[in-house]
Amino acid sequence: MIRARLDKLLTVAIAGVLAGLLLAAAALPAALVLGIGFSALSTPYSELPNTLRTPPTAQRSNLYANDGTTLITSFYQEDRVDVPLREVAPVMRQAIVAAEDVRFYQHSGVDLRGVVRAFTVNKRDGRTRQGASTLTMQYVRNVLGNDPRLTEAQREAATEVTTVRKIQEMRYALALERELDKEEILARYLNIAYFGAGAYGIAAASKRYFSRSPAELTLAQAALLAGLVRSPDSDDPINGDADSALVRRSYVLERLVESGQVPADAAAAAHNEPLQLRPSETPNDCTGVPEAHNDWGFFCDWFTRWWSNQSAFGATADERQRTLRRGGFSIVSSLDPGVQRVTTEQVLKIYRPTSAEAAPTAVVQPGTGRVLAMSVNRTYSVADNPVGQKNRPNTVNQLIAGGGAIEGYQGGSTFKLFAMLAALESGLPLSTDFVAPTQLLTRFPVTGEASCDGHWCPANANPSSMDGPRNMWSAFGRSVNTYFAWLTEKVGADRVVEMAERLGIMLRADSDAKLARYGAKNWGPFTLGVAATTPLDLASAYATVAAEGTWCAPLPVVSITDSGGRPVDAAKPDCRQVLDADVARAATDAARCPVGDQSMYGRCDGATASGLRAKLGRPVAGKTGSSERYETETVVAFTPQLAVASMAANPDDPRDAVGQAVQAQMVNAVGEVLAAALRNQPVRDFVPPSERTAFQVTEARAGN
């Protein structure tokens, strides 16, 4: 009670003097002050703007690899990250007080002595040479001037030099000091102050100028930084005037000696130190990924696209991106540097960055959807390319995950998986027999080369090894076109399309999306992969089968914590059961055939990538695919722990055939990625399907 009354009396006393002196110190007309009553300076803390009680300072967000320590890049509008006062060197705390408010620990938010001093100097010189703003008042001005929720005009109004604004600043300062201790105010000030060269807050400034943490600052370094706050743009020793910065450093050192905080000999030694800058810039956005890890840029780019789709971070994509660049998030991504390195090495063995062809590749974890690697033989850069080369060697287009201008590439026979799943779900067993002819006339209407009198009539690529009695095991292993065309007729093309979309295949091309919506019943060729897709979509779809029917949305993060250290739910896997587990197990059993493995029932007969199982040395499943005229080639392989998909195409001209020969290189590359990524993981086998799903015709099996 006594303390409260004393504060009130002090407020009134200060008001009486300030009404005559403060604005004079700022060279404002005294006549403007006379109409302001003493009560104007008394403001309860509860009536302060929320901005001041919980300052919404913009802080950079950091994106790390899955080890939680390897920095991929940062995102910021202002390079700032708040640190507690205990992580700031004591000499830095002393220096900022000496430079900006030597009586900080003696006043209650407004320094009466400072006002008198400023008034005297300014009156003597006939112009404003000294201000009377305390650290607390400066903090108030900084917060109001940087409130991201205000418009630019509102921020200017909050900091303009007017009588009313100055009085309001004092009111707020007094109220803050009644509720917050000096250490809290000093910490807030150090975290919001601008130190020049794009560095906001003491942590960013220490790194920007000296490549060290604020806890490691020396006396000379602290004095230099404290001196920059007054004129951060003109005194900035990196981009501005280094001599002015040294003059200000000397001034701060003198004030430290005068206030008894630093011995004269220590200050003299610091004064004589040369300006030893070790500048470093915090990377910003995906083009700021370290040059040695340029291949991380495509994962980073996909992460930002994912973030833009998360409603937890705002109502619109623009708002979500602002949140990323101001929210101070610590984001541990799913990117595994080791898996990423091997994936990039293997991709570059297939094609060089200057090749017209590209081999985008994605690695996904079944059961979580987390993406461990995304690589393509391109440089992630906005630099210009030679005329006619839209995406080589430089590009920031999302060649691996699709989106924007990238619709994807034809998936070829990898889409036969969706026909097989639709058939299994309808009640047909793996043992479903059909004598596959060289060519099959179907009821699906089409035009063009694949048309026979207006109907789709696909043929087998190698009749000698494909024609004849087939079941799902041998037809999938040998990639028999006519078997799956027949199967699609039997279960319905619309069910095949629906199955693909259920497992996460996004139809980004307008023509594909229209067919899926309005003509799916007649879209028989979909089964042979005529629709455009991406390696990430395919890896996720096959990962669903590996996870026994559990689909998980592709996820680029392991954890996200906000600036207060609280976890964000958006980092949790988004998974749901979309297939009957026995149906998924049956599809996996057949998918062991194409890669040289053997089904649980010993029914595999023929393979398109026969050496993969022997090379990997553990159970594996997958599928190869070639589009028409070998315009694209695709390889997908998975174990219970990992799924990898790689596609070869010319992103600038999808009709430019890559040729069948590259498929063997892709099979080898996918095998190397799996082997490296699984090296320290236990060998796990697939769960066999039931005999009922393998051999008996039943009623439809429940899906999602």
Side-chain angles (χ1 to χ4, degrees):
M1 178 67 74
I2 294 175
R3 168 68 189 273
R5 292 190 64 184
L6 286 174
D7 283 344
K8 200 84 168 182
L9 289 171
L10 178 60
T11 297
V12 173
I14 291 174
V17 176
L18 288 178
L21 297 180
L22 177 65
L23 298 175
L28 293 171
L32 294 176
V33 185
L34 299 179
I36 300 175
F38 295 157
S39 63
L41 287 177
S42 180
T43 300
Y45 182 77
S46 61
E47 294 182 12
L48 284 176
N50 286 332
T51 297
L52 286 171
R53 284 185 284 157
T54 308
T57 52
Q59 299 183 58
R60 74 170 179 260
S61 296
N62 293 323
L63 179 66
Y64 300 95
N66 68 352
D67 58 13
T69 57
T70 302
L71 183 68
I72 296 175
T73 192
S74 300
F75 301 92
Y76 57 88
Q77 292 176 340
E78 298 175 2
D79 185 9
R80 176 193 285 114
V81 57
D82 287 355
V83 292
L85 200 61
R86 66 178 179 273
E87 294 181 16
V88 179
V91 70
M92 184 66 227
R93 306 177 217 165
Q94 295 169 333
I96 201 70
V97 170
E100 294 298 312
D101 187 2
V102 73
R103 284 179 31 79
F104 174 66
Y105 290 101
Q106 282 74 54
H107 62 65
S108 296
V110 178
D111 184 9
L112 186 56
R113 289 188 188 179
V115 171
V116 173
R117 182 181 65 252
F119 171 69
T120 303
V121 172
N122 294 339
K123 186 175 182 181
R124 180 193 66 205
D125 295 349
R127 59 193 178 95
T128 302
R129 292 180 59 85
Q130 284 195 16
S133 291
T134 62
L135 274 181
T136 312
M137 292 167 65
Q138 289 183 48
Y139 167 72
V140 168
R141 186 162 61 251
N142 268 315
V143 171
L144 296 178
N146 288 279
D147 187 348
R149 295 169 295 191
L150 300 179
T151 65
E152 189 63 34
Q154 288 172 322
R155 284 195 289 271
E156 289 180 6
T159 56
E160 63 182 342
V161 182
T162 66
T163 303
V164 174
R165 197 274 303 163
K166 197 71 177 180
I167 291 295
Q168 184 183 68
E169 190 177 289
M170 291 187 296
R171 292 169 57 207
Y172 290 163
L174 289 165
L176 280 170
E177 293 245 3
R178 286 197 296 272
E179 298 294 331
L180 303 179
D181 63 32
K182 292 288 186 179
E183 300 303 285
E184 174 65 18
I185 292 171
L186 180 59
R188 291 188 179 197
Y189 178 86
L190 282 167
N191 281 320
I192 200 172
Y194 180 53
F195 291 86
Y200 292 81
I202 188 59
S206 302
K207 182 174 185 292
R208 180 73 180 98
Y209 291 105
F210 301 112
S211 296
R212 58 175 52 193
S213 74
E216 300 171 313
L217 292 170
T218 66
L219 173 59
Q221 292 167 344
L224 181 86
L225 294 181
L228 295 178
V229 173
R230 183 66 56 88
S231 301
D233 292 319
S234 61
D235 292 347
D236 161 16
I238 295 176
N239 305 305
D241 189 338
D243 290 336
S244 293
L246 288 172
V247 169
R248 284 290 296 166
R249 183 181 75 171
S250 297
Y251 166 78
V252 176
L253 290 169
E254 290 170 7
R255 298 301 296 271
L256 282 166
V257 173
E258 289 174 7
S259 60
Q261 298 182 82
V262 170
D265 57 342
H271 174 83
N272 291 328
E273 284 188 22
L275 181 60
Q276 294 179 324
L277 298 177
R278 290 186 58 211
S280 60
E281 287 192 77
T282 302
N284 193 11
D285 224 306
C286 296
T287 53
V289 166
E291 187 174 349
H293 298 291
N294 177 270
D295 57 307
W296 295 356
F298 294 98
F299 176 92
C300 175
D301 174 88
W302 176 64
F303 160 78
T304 64
R305 292 167 186 257
W306 172 86
W307 185 282
S308 290
N309 288 322
Q310 304 306 306
S311 60
F313 304 119
T316 66
D318 286 345
E319 184 179 340
R320 293 161 193 162
Q321 286 299 312
R322 285 195 297 272
T323 300
L324 174 62
R325 285 159 175 78
R326 299 187 68 91
F329 294 94
S330 179
I331 305 152
V332 178
S333 79
S334 56
L335 179 77
D336 186 309
V339 178
Q340 175 70 26
R341 176 182 54 78
V342 172
T343 304
T344 299
E345 289 174 353
Q346 293 303 315
V347 164
L348 291 176
K349 286 181 180 179
I350 300 172
Y351 296 125
R352 305 307 301 170
T354 53
S355 298
E357 300 82 5
T361 303
V363 183
V364 174
Q365 185 179 66
T368 67
R370 292 194 171 104
V371 178
L372 276 61
M374 295 176 72
S375 190
V376 64
N377 53 305
R378 293 290 186 265
T379 301
Y380 188 83
S381 172
V382 295
D384 291 336
N385 288 316
V387 176
Q389 296 178 193
K390 291 183 293 186
N391 287 294
R392 65 182 170 102
N394 305 305
T395 188
V396 292
N397 284 328
Q398 188 46 258
L399 303 182
I400 307 158
I406 304 302
E407 297 173 345
Y409 329 95
Q410 289 190 355
S413 292
T414 58
F415 273 40
K416 289 172 181 171
L417 173 72
F418 308 124
M420 181 164 62
L421 285 168
L424 289 165
E425 193 172 84
S426 75
L428 295 176
L430 286 169
S431 59
T432 299
D433 288 318
F434 175 67
V435 178
T438 298
Q439 189 171 38
L440 180 71
L441 179 65
T442 72
R443 61 176 173 79
F444 299 116
V446 298
T447 58
E449 294 180 7
S451 172
C452 295
D453 296 326
H455 289 84
W456 184 46
C457 54
N460 291 327
N462 296 298
S464 61
S465 65
M466 295 178 176
D467 295 358
R470 299 293 169 214
N471 52 38
M472 291 189 199
W473 285 293
S474 61
F476 202 69
R478 294 172 180 264
S479 200
V480 181
N481 290 343
T482 56
Y483 179 92
F484 284 96
W486 168 79
L487 201 61
T488 299
E489 266 197 320
K490 196 168 183 65
V491 300
D494 55 333
R495 297 184 68 171
V496 178
V497 174
E498 186 276 332
M499 179 62 70
E501 292 186 303
R502 195 195 308 173
L503 270 62
I505 299 297
M506 293 181 62
L507 301 175
R508 296 176 179 84
D510 287 342
S511 57
D512 292 342
K514 288 177 181 177
L515 275 171
R517 175 170 292 187
Y518 304 113
K521 287 183 179 296
N522 291 317
W523 199 8
F526 180 87
T527 294
L528 300 190
V530 296
T533 188
T534 67
L536 182 58
D537 282 3
L538 274 177
S540 296
Y542 276 72
T544 302
V545 177
E548 300 192 337
T550 299
W551 172 85
C552 298
L555 186 65
V557 295
V558 173
S559 68
I560 303 173
T561 53
D562 64 18
S563 58
R566 296 175 292 270
V568 178
D569 284 346
K572 295 179 179 178
D574 175 17
C575 301
R576 58 182 177 270
Q577 194 76 22
V578 298
L579 293 171
D580 176 81
D582 208 33
V583 167
R585 291 169 183 168
T588 297
D589 205 52
R592 302 178 76 154
C593 302
V595 293
D597 206 343
Q598 184 53 260
S599 80
M600 292 295 186
Y601 294 98
R603 297 304 180 95
C604 287
D605 175 20
T608 56
S610 58
L612 186 57
R613 170 62 172 87
K615 178 180 179 62
L616 188 58
R618 63 170 70 208
V620 63
K623 186 73 181 75
T624 60
S626 303
S627 69
E628 188 178 2
R629 297 190 305 108
Y630 305 111
E631 290 170 359
T632 63
E633 288 291 328
T634 304
V635 176
V636 189
F638 64 91
T639 70
Q641 301 107 312
L642 218 57
V644 183
S646 184
M647 304 185 78
N650 181 344
D652 290 351
D653 182 9
R655 303 294 296 176
D656 179 22
V658 299
Q660 186 184 23
V662 72
Q663 189 181 96
Q665 293 176 267
M666 297 170 68
V667 170
N668 184 70
V670 167
E672 291 289 345
V673 171
L674 282 172
L678 296 170
R679 184 166 293 124
N680 297 318
Q681 294 193 35
V683 174
R684 288 177 52 191
D685 204 348
F686 299 108
V687 178
S690 67
E691 290 191 11
R692 185 168 178 264
T693 307
F695 299 106
Q696 297 177 22
V697 177
T698 67
E699 297 295 323
R701 301 174 176 98
N704 55 339

